[in-house]
Amino acid sequence: PTSTPEATPTPEISAFFKEEFNDSADLWSYFVINGEQEKNELVEEDVPQISVRTENGYLVFEINKNYQYVYVTYDPYTYTDVRVDVRAENRGVNNNNVSIICRYTEKGWYEFNIANNGLYWIYYAEMKPSKQVSYHLLANGGSNKIRMGKDVNEYTAICKGKTLQLFINGFETKTFTENRFVLREGQVGVSVSSFNVLPAHVEFDWIEISQP
């Protein structure tokens, strides 16, 4: 009998799962917003001095250029109500943001920013036809639950109906009703931002997408 060649395994596509980045990240894609001098412009081509890769079971962001906002989204699914948990390790300077995004479309998304210095901001990011992004502040504050410096943090963002929630290391940090923009559905993802001190180097151990 003739043997049938084994099929090359393709990435398993799931709506709810824990991504530990032990294999390829083919189901994830990234884009960059250039925030230099508050331009907030979508960058169409690859930006030198920015590296997004999987390495040793981590999703690694290395940014060696000032004011770059680098986003990675999970492509196969759009979600209405969703919970996203991440475990992120800061390996660079103490001046960067780690973000979780939900309900992402090409028109805009919700963004939960946690800064390494102990502050957080929640935005509606609006993508203009000009490929510029306007960040509309929805909520902000500070948290003593953020582990500053070269340390590991776990963050959770929940988008459920009109309710947005942010948890930092298991502690409920902010819950509010979002009635201004009322995004209904979209993709989820994460982001790392550099500012005026380099390098920004953040490694995600895992990202978990689940039902809220």
Side-chain angles (χ1 to χ4, degrees):
T2 57
S3 60
T4 306
E6 290 187 17
T8 304
T10 54
E12 185 177 343
I13 297 176
S14 305
F16 300 109
F17 67 105
K18 190 173 189 177
E19 173 65 82
E20 298 184 280
F21 301 106
N22 294 317
D23 301 310
S24 73
D26 291 346
L27 300 178
W28 302 75
S29 60
Y30 85 97
F31 64 95
V32 178
I33 302 293
N34 175 16
E36 286 183 318
Q37 299 175 343
E38 300 304 316
K39 289 179 184 175
N40 294 344
E41 292 176 324
L42 179 67
V43 179
E44 297 291 354
E45 70 282 348
D46 285 345
V47 178
Q49 302 167 311
I50 292 177
S51 174
V52 180
R53 63 188 187 274
T54 54
E55 189 175 277
N56 301 322
Y58 287 88
L59 176 63
V60 178
F61 289 73
E62 266 192 292
I63 308 173
N64 285 290
K65 187 177 180 184
N66 293 331
Y67 298 102
Q68 302 298 301
Y69 314 151
V70 185
Y71 295 83
V72 170
T73 55
Y74 181 59
D75 296 333
Y77 278 90
T78 58
Y79 302 86
T80 48
D81 294 345
V82 69
R83 170 179 175 148
V84 181
D85 294 86
V86 304
R87 180 180 174 90
E89 181 174 355
N90 181 42
R91 306 284 297 167
V93 294
N94 200 32
N95 185 25
N96 59 63
N97 279 7
V98 171
S99 308
I100 301 175
I101 67 174
C102 71
R103 296 183 182 164
Y104 166 82
T105 68
E106 291 182 350
K107 293 183 178 179
W109 58 90
Y110 290 131
E111 181 168 326
F112 300 77
N113 288 328
I114 305 98
N116 206 248
N117 61 10
L119 302 176
Y120 70 87
W121 301 264
I122 303 172
Y123 293 102
Y124 164 57
E126 178 187 9
M127 182 73 79
K128 300 293 186 66
S130 62
K131 299 299 182 183
Q132 288 187 311
V133 181
S134 292
Y135 291 92
H136 303 269
L137 183 65
L138 302 175
N140 67 310
S143 170
N144 59 9
K145 305 302 181 186
I146 299 171
R147 300 185 186 114
M148 295 187 279
K150 291 188 178 179
D151 211 331
V152 178
N153 286 277
E154 293 187 10
Y155 304 129
T156 303
I158 296 176
C159 301
K160 185 176 182 181
K162 295 181 180 180
T163 301
L164 303 182
Q165 288 185 288
L166 173 65
F167 292 78
I168 294 174
N169 290 313
F171 291 89
E172 184 176 343
T173 303
K174 184 68 177 179
T175 299
F176 67 101
T177 302
E178 201 291 287
N179 283 316
R180 286 174 62 193
F181 304 101
V182 195
L183 304 183
R184 291 178 177 172
E185 63 179 14
Q187 295 172 326
V188 299
V190 295
S191 173
V192 174
S193 301
S194 69
F195 298 106
N196 60 342
V197 184
L198 298 171
H201 183 169
V202 175
E203 301 185 0
F204 288 87
D205 188 6
W206 46 259
I207 300 172
E208 185 169 13
I209 306 169
S210 60
Q211 291 177 308

